[in-house]
Amino acid sequence: MNLQKLCLELATTEDGNEVIKILKKNSLWDNEKEWQLVGFHDDKNTNNAAIINNQQSNAPNALVEKLINCGDSALMLRCRELGIDPKSQDAPKNVSEAIESLFDIDYGRWNNATTQKRNSLGTEYCNLVVTGMAGRGKDVCPTYTVIDKAEGQAPEKFRETFLSLTRNNKLEIPFVQGKFGMGSYGAVSFCTIHGLQLIISKRNPKLQDGLSEEWGFTVIRKIEPNDKYKSSRWMYMTINEEIPSFKADNLKIAPGSYPNAYGDILEFGTFVKMYNYDIGSGLRAPANLDLNYKLNTLLVNPVIPVRIYERRKYDRNPKSPEVTLDGLETR
């Protein structure tokens, strides 16, 4: 099996039904031994649905959790680039101090930064790409991809990070927001086709911490109750019971010029794709409009600006297919 080809097929597919076809073609979808329980990797009898299904009742809020994770990763990367241990006494004491000291933003408020700087930081550290279904109506569920070019994770660390629940990964770091160890799993409940979510990541080579420099990837899915298991289960995909990984200098999965959803390269960082996401009433229009306004109200002064890329095809091209989300305070 060509793992890089499989990864790219999944990354450039916009519909969960196509994901299922790809996995079936590779004898993975129905292969029970290649699906492990999220958060409880050695025990398939643990009820992880009790944790995951009750995280979020609001789709935009769940999406915001993914964007907050990008900001946290960017802050921790900047700390390490400056030779500061994020857990040490020398590290910033809160988010505002971190934004001020690590990105040179007065008082840690993005309204003190130039438009050019906000756009540049959003492009580098946090992208939100919208693809898939366009139009109106409750059955229109676009696909959302969150991309960062920050720390990234090595394949051997997936189980401790992306695939963990209730771990204290960030508890000792005072300036990050995602401290509850829930892996931002509030979003998967809004992925309408089997909860499908794709995770791809590669460790930033600048960190030089002895971890693998390969790309790792996995798929999250929801398995409904059956005669054996009376509760639904959230599982992640393995190949030969390991996180699939491969070597590549880069992947061409970052957004290209409108309307191309792909075309630019990603050399490291993290790519999380949520297929057929039920964003809710009023937010299915071009993402530079209502969704941008909504997310700005939820992120008054975000950890990092977010560059939004609308990449769905319309009869008329959006006037601004790219826009930077920099928070209600700045707007």
Side-chain angles (χ1 to χ4, degrees):
M1 186 185 303
N2 186 324
L3 295 181
Q4 182 173 345
K5 180 181 177 183
L6 172 60
C7 179
L8 289 173
E9 279 190 87
L10 295 169
T12 55
T13 294
E14 315 308 334
D15 180 32
N17 290 308
E18 292 301 315
V19 171
I20 295 170
K21 290 179 183 178
I22 292 168
L23 296 180
K24 285 187 174 182
K25 180 180 69 176
N26 288 276
S27 302
L28 291 168
W29 182 257
D30 298 313
N31 188 346
E32 186 175 341
K33 76 172 187 177
E34 298 293 19
W35 295 91
Q36 309 297 325
L37 202 67
V38 169
F40 306 94
H41 315 296
D42 299 321
D43 184 2
K44 289 192 176 183
N45 295 310
T46 305
N47 182 10
N48 64 359
I51 299 173
I52 293 174
N53 291 357
N54 293 303
Q55 283 194 38
Q56 279 287 356
S57 59
N58 181 284
N61 286 0
L63 185 58
V64 161
E65 290 182 357
K66 302 287 191 185
L67 305 177
I68 288 173
N69 280 350
C70 286
D72 286 350
S73 186
L75 293 179
M76 290 191 289
L77 173 64
R78 286 294 297 143
C79 250
R80 293 186 169 113
E81 286 179 333
L82 295 172
I84 301 170
D85 181 349
K87 297 180 181 180
S88 72
Q89 292 296 316
D90 296 326
K93 302 299 185 288
N94 53 57
V95 177
S96 294
E97 185 181 322
I99 295 171
E100 180 174 22
S101 62
L102 302 176
F103 292 113
D104 193 26
I105 306 299
D106 289 346
Y107 305 105
R109 317 306 299 184
W110 292 112
N111 57 6
N112 293 322
T114 65
T115 299
Q116 182 180 6
K117 185 159 189 174
R118 294 194 299 266
N119 290 349
S120 175
L121 289 171
T123 299
E124 181 172 4
Y125 290 115
C126 190
N127 303 168
L128 174 62
V129 188
V130 188
T131 56
M133 302 175 74
R136 300 181 179 182
K138 65 180 182 178
D139 294 328
V140 174
C141 296
T143 289
Y144 295 93
T145 304
V146 175
I147 305 172
D148 74 63
K149 301 167 190 171
E151 294 180 298
Q153 294 294 341
E156 64 265 31
K157 289 292 184 180
F158 271 39
R159 288 183 170 96
E160 299 173 26
T161 53
F162 301 126
L163 306 173
S164 68
L165 292 172
T166 69
R167 290 181 66 93
N168 298 329
N169 292 333
K170 300 180 184 177
L171 202 58
E172 299 176 66
I173 303 173
F175 57 85
V176 298
Q177 294 186 329
K179 296 184 179 182
F180 300 104
M182 292 299 165
S184 67
Y185 273 97
V188 291
S189 295
F190 299 98
C191 297
T192 56
I193 297 178
H194 296 282
L196 285 168
Q197 175 183 271
L198 171 68
I199 302 171
I200 306 171
S201 195
K202 179 182 178 181
R203 191 66 167 165
N204 189 326
K206 295 177 185 177
L207 296 176
Q208 296 183 338
D209 46 14
L211 297 175
S212 166
E213 293 185 4
E214 293 192 348
W215 292 93
F217 69 101
T218 189
V219 174
I220 309 298
R221 69 185 280 199
K222 182 181 183 180
I223 297 180
E224 298 296 341
N226 54 35
D227 291 340
K228 184 176 179 180
Y229 298 100
K230 304 305 180 185
S231 172
S232 58
R233 294 169 293 152
W234 289 93
M235 314 291 282
Y236 66 91
M237 183 189 75
T238 60
I239 295 179
N240 297 325
E241 301 183 47
E242 296 291 340
I243 299 298
S245 63
F246 59 90
K247 292 182 178 180
D249 291 337
N250 57 68
L251 299 178
K252 196 175 279 191
I253 54 176
S257 300
Y258 185 85
N260 298 310
Y262 315 98
D264 203 355
I265 61 171
L266 188 66
E267 295 180 294
F268 54 82
T270 300
F271 176 107
V272 178
K273 190 161 196 170
M274 295 156 278
Y275 301 94
N276 308 90
Y277 193 86
D278 187 4
I279 192 62
S281 178
L283 300 178
R284 300 180 175 94
N288 57 305
L289 300 175
D290 295 347
L291 180 63
N292 177 37
Y293 304 148
K294 176 65 175 178
L295 295 178
N296 268 288
T297 66
L298 298 174
L299 292 164
V300 177
N301 188 66
V303 181
I304 200 77
V306 180
R307 192 69 172 164
I308 299 176
Y309 297 83
E310 175 58 76
R311 289 298 183 267
R312 291 173 290 174
K313 295 180 181 179
Y314 291 88
D315 293 336
R316 292 184 178 181
N317 292 349
K319 290 183 179 179
S320 302
E322 286 127 40
V323 66
T324 297
L325 185 164
D326 38 29
L328 186 62
E329 183 177 277
T330 300
R331 289 183 63 83

